[in-house]
């Protein structure tokens, strides 16, 4: 019933949270990283485009992208209803893959389709047993236990700026935001951390990924940056008192802006020495 | 990092979610149940009034109530800042108690003070090791992993009606609402379940409690009822698509209205035979 402490993490699969807008034509650094995680030419990739309003086109797009990288086994799982997500045939097929890719779209659509179904359970179990799971944009948000569903843009925190709902629950320690700089989401990520500073906030830029390894270390990959919001030293916030949409105070937030090559340990909350 | 499956639950402490407004003068059925859980005359009770805007009065009130029931060891833990919640002295004192009682007030104030602190960690560990934790009103909401922070009243679900934020995380399977009938909260509990139907919604009335035992069975105690919202058969919701504050559709919700003496198994999602 309670989310227990996990002691042996080494068997878990990597999580890859991509900030959306990953390069699909040129260097393809982010997609190539996922390709390698999935097993390179031996990969068997599941694409789940259920967050998208145009799942057919989205599914075909990623199928083509992974095929161009050299993957032969790519399966698109269309989940158009909760019944689809309870279908034992689809679940059995999913259990054969080496990695799972969740597309962008609307993370609340994704979770209201998947939440509490056999498919969601299978994704959790596969990841616990070593299968890598990547999500871009909406798919990145949905990876964590507490998911940013929607919110308002703005650089500094104000009340009711962000809406949290339950995600897939593949990590219970982070809360993930995407398209971070492009859509002005610093304020809402700070609010999400103020709500309960146990969470570490990750603001992931476009064409950039935070890769969480089984030892709970984050590695930054890609063109721009990942902002890490650490509230462990927060000594004051009035988020429990402020009315309506007024500004929210927070003191002693620790922030890191990490670019390609940096790592961050979620347990010690320390940036690792950068060795270029 | 991931909330793992817990297999051996028998060592856990009971959770008691009280819908607020518990009888303090006459039969005191709900408070007496907590008194018994805490060890009756041998109880050593911690009262945490941090959710309250008047923590001194609230602390004194519950101290007097438990003293009247026959408890001699009652300690009020005042948490006025996040620094208080990091104080090793308070945490060491908390480790001596046999049961913990969280007052009403504002659950977001409570969690923005406690979240990610040594005190929150101690509450989780104490509960995992057998210490009963009760919460009334705001304190009941805060028991679960996904907490209803605030919302709008209304009988039927509409978009943006409820705000979820991270709670204490003592149960990851339920989402708890309180003052349920008196404040017209059916709509927002349905929305909370629609977000991710993995969650079981509990709408707890005043002077009524849902008591969660270590085997994940709920027992209803008190004057009114607990509404259980089971979304496991939900086959359609448009919560991911509806704009602004429009009405949200949900099909095949299973509801139970349970009164004193009923039990409900959270794992099988079955109401247990009622033996009056």
């Amino acid at each position: 019933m309670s989310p227990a402490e996990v002691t042996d993490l080494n068997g878990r699969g990597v999580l890859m949270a991509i900030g959306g807008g990953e390069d699909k034509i040129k260097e393809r650094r982010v997609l190539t990283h996922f390709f390698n995680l999935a097993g390179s030419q031996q990969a068997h990739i599941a694409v789940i485009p259920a967050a998208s309003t145009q799942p057919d086109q989205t599914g075909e797009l990623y199928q083509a992208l992974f095929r161009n990288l050299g993957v032969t086994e790519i399966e698109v799982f269309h989940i158009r209803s909760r019944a689809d997500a309870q279908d034992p045939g689809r679940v059995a097929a999913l259990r054969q893959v080496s990695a799972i890719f969740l597309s962008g779209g609307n993370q609340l659509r994704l979770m209201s389709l998947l939440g509490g179904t056999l498919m969601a359970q299978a994704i959790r179990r596969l990841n616990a047993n070593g299968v890598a799971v990547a999500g871009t944009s909406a798919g990145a948000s949905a990876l964590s236990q507490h998911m940013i569903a929607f919110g308002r843009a703005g650089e500094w925190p104000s009340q009711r700026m962000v809406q949290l709902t339950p995600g897939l629950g593949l990590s219970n320690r982070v809360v993930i935001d995407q398209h971070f700089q492009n859509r002005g989401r610093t304020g809402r990520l700070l609010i999400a951390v103020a709500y309960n500073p146990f969470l570490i906030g990750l603001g992931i830029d476009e064409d950039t990924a935070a890769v969480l390894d089984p030892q709970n270390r984050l590695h930054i990959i890609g063109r721009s940056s990942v902002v890490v919001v650490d509230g462990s030293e927060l000594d004051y916030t009035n988020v429990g008192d402020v009315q309506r949409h007024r500004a929210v105070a927070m003191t002693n937030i620790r922030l890191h802006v990490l670019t390609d090559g940096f790592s961050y340990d979620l347990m010690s909350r320390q940036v690792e020495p950068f060795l270029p």
Side-chain angles (χ1 to χ4, degrees), chain A:
Chain A
M1 188 55 22
S2 165
E5 315 275 320
V6 177
T7 46
D8 177 22
L9 291 157
N10 295 313
R12 293 187 56 79
V14 168
L15 288 178
M16 188 168 174
I18 306 166
E22 65 281 356
D23 167 25
K24 297 176 181 66
I25 298 162
K26 292 184 286 182
E27 211 189 331
R28 297 172 293 176
R29 181 152 165 63
V30 169
L31 289 175
T32 303
H33 191 87
F34 176 70
F35 164 76
N36 289 330
L37 279 178
S40 307
Q41 275 82 5
Q42 279 69 53
H44 181 171
I45 294 177
V47 174
I48 301 180
S52 173
T53 46
Q54 299 176 300
D56 292 327
Q57 292 90 320
T58 303
E60 277 170 30
L61 170 67
Y62 282 100
Q63 199 164 31
L65 291 170
F66 294 129
R67 198 182 299 119
N68 288 344
L69 285 169
V71 185
T72 51
E73 292 199 272
I74 310 158
E75 236 165 310
V76 179
F77 287 76
H78 282 294
I79 311 288
R80 294 190 168 85
S81 66
R82 291 183 55 81
D84 286 350
Q86 298 281 29
D87 170 25
R90 282 184 175 82
V91 172
L94 189 68
R95 289 212 188 92
Q96 307 307 313
V97 307
S98 66
I100 297 169
F101 190 90
L102 305 168
S103 81
N106 175 338
Q107 54 268 45
L108 197 47
R109 181 180 310 122
L110 179 67
M111 289 317 306
S112 59
L113 281 168
L114 280 188
T117 65
L118 294 176
M119 186 72 95
Q121 192 180 64
I123 295 171
R124 285 169 68 108
R125 291 194 176 155
L126 286 164
N127 182 244
N129 291 317
V131 169
V133 180
T136 186
S137 190
S141 297
L143 297 175
S144 60
Q145 175 98 46
H146 296 283
M147 172 180 97
I148 294 182
F150 49 80
R152 292 200 315 280
E155 225 164 310
W156 296 108
S158 59
Q159 194 63 291
R160 307 192 179 204
M161 196 169 201
V162 62
Q163 182 90 8
L164 297 180
T165 64
L168 276 170
L170 305 180
S171 165
N172 66 356
R173 185 160 282 263
V174 297
V175 60
I176 298 168
D177 214 345
Q178 19 78 8
H179 298 284
F180 192 63
Q181 291 193 42
N182 294 62
R183 301 193 185 170
R185 292 176 165 178
T186 305
R188 74 185 206 179
L189 187 63
L190 291 171
I191 287 279
V193 172
Y195 281 151
N196 185 330
F198 174 78
L199 294 180
I200 297 174
L202 302 181
I204 307 172
D205 273 359
E206 292 178 2
D207 195 21
T208 307
V211 182
L212 182 57
D213 75 18
Q215 290 75 42
N216 285 319
R217 290 163 73 243
L218 275 183
H219 308 278
I220 315 306
I221 282 166
R223 184 170 52 84
S224 189
S225 64
V226 173
V227 171
V228 176
V229 180
D230 172 8
S232 62
E233 294 163 86
L234 188 83
D235 49 18
Y236 175 77
T237 175
N238 55 6
V239 76
D241 298 300
V242 169
Q243 296 301 307
R244 301 189 55 79
H245 294 95
R246 298 223 173 82
V248 168
M250 300 171 65
T251 62
N252 280 305
I253 304 154
R254 188 179 288 272
L255 274 184
H256 310 285
V257 184
L258 305 180
T259 52
D260 192 291
F262 274 95
S263 296
Y264 181 80
D265 187 317
L266 288 181
M267 304 313 284
S268 67
R269 297 183 179 234
Q270 298 290 319
V271 178
E272 316 241 311
F274 176 54
L275 304 166

